């Protein structure tokens, strides 16, 4: 769990001190933005632990079949999306995730019926991998925006 918490913190640090305008920018050839990565990570934090591990239903959210284009929508941001909102939402979802897994064994099967062949250990490893990947994407985007690099508490220009 500590490894996942570290990756979550690394991702959050990449958006610290960035304006909403800059966080919405996709400054590389990719369509990814800092805010899009944060939004996507927050939504999937919720989905993996609440829907897939705990087997909860979240009305109006994935995986409801009438929700079209959810993959692209996860990364899409507009003027209403802010760093403050999505950072708080991400932290809130991570706290709920910690509560869910606190009483589960690593071998506990996922609560979602079509994924009972997966267990909490698999989900944790997947989330460490995905969150780390997105923190790396965010590092590249942040460097493109203002030159800061690395995962230090306070981003320092060219501080690999």
């Amino acid at each position: 769990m500590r490894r996942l918490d570290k990756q979550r913190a690394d991702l959050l640090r990449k958006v610290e001190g960035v304006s909403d305008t800059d966080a919405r920018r996709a400054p590389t050839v990719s369509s990814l933005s800092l805010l899009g990565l944060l939004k996507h990570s927050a939504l999937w934090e919720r989905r993996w632990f609440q829907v897939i591990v705990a087997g909860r239903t979240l009305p109006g959210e994935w995986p409801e079949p009438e929700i079209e284009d959810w993959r692209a929508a996860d990364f899409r941001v507009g003027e209403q999306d802010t760093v403050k909102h999505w950072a708080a939402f991400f932290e809130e979802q991570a706290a709920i995730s910690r509560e869910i897994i606190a009483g589960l064994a690593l071998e506990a099967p996922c609560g979602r019926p079509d994924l009972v062949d997966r267990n909490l250990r698999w989900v944790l490893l997947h989330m460490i991998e995905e969150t780390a990947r997105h923190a790396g994407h965010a590092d590249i985007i942040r460097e493109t925006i203002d030159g800061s690099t690395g995962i230090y508490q306070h981003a320092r220009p060219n501080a690999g």
Side-chain angles (χ1 to χ4, degrees):
M1 188 61 177
R2 285 190 311 253
R3 281 284 171 199
L4 181 53
D5 281 337
K6 180 190 179 312
Q7 299 308 319
R8 289 170 177 146
D10 290 347
L11 179 59
L12 285 168
R13 272 194 291 280
K14 297 316 304 181
V15 299
E16 280 180 3
V18 176
S19 71
D20 292 332
T21 300
D22 280 344
R24 290 184 199 105
R25 288 180 44 215
T28 67
V29 296
S30 167
S31 62
L32 294 175
S33 69
L34 288 173
L35 199 48
L37 287 166
L38 182 61
K39 177 182 176 184
H40 169 80
S41 297
L43 292 170
W44 279 99
E45 177 78 30
R46 179 179 173 115
R47 292 167 183 162
W48 273 106
F49 290 102
Q50 293 182 48
V51 176
I52 294 170
V53 172
R56 297 177 184 167
T57 300
L58 302 172
E61 288 193 33
W62 176 91
E64 289 188 4
E66 65 273 6
I67 298 173
E68 297 177 26
D69 198 27
W70 54 266
R71 283 183 179 92
D74 285 358
F75 289 100
R76 194 175 306 125
V77 294
E79 291 300 313
Q80 76 284 358
D81 293 298
T82 65
V83 172
K84 182 178 179 180
H85 167 78
W86 285 108
F89 186 78
F90 184 64
E91 289 176 326
E92 177 185 315
Q93 299 314 304
I96 294 168
S97 298
R98 285 184 206 95
E99 290 173 11
I100 289 170
I101 67 172
L104 296 176
L106 289 174
E107 301 309 320
C110 290
R112 193 174 140 102
D114 59 336
L115 291 172
V116 293
D117 61 324
R118 306 283 187 198
N119 59 31
L120 178 59
R121 180 188 313 274
W122 188 91
V123 171
L124 286 169
L125 288 172
H126 174 74
M127 289 301 291
I128 291 167
E129 175 185 60
E130 284 297 302
T131 307
R133 177 178 291 124
H134 295 320
H137 294 141
D139 193 38
I140 292 167
I141 294 168
R142 180 69 187 260
E143 181 178 9
T144 304
I145 290 171
D146 67 8
S148 66
T149 61
I151 54 173
Y152 298 102
Q153 188 66 22
H154 300 286
R156 295 177 283 176
N158 303 318

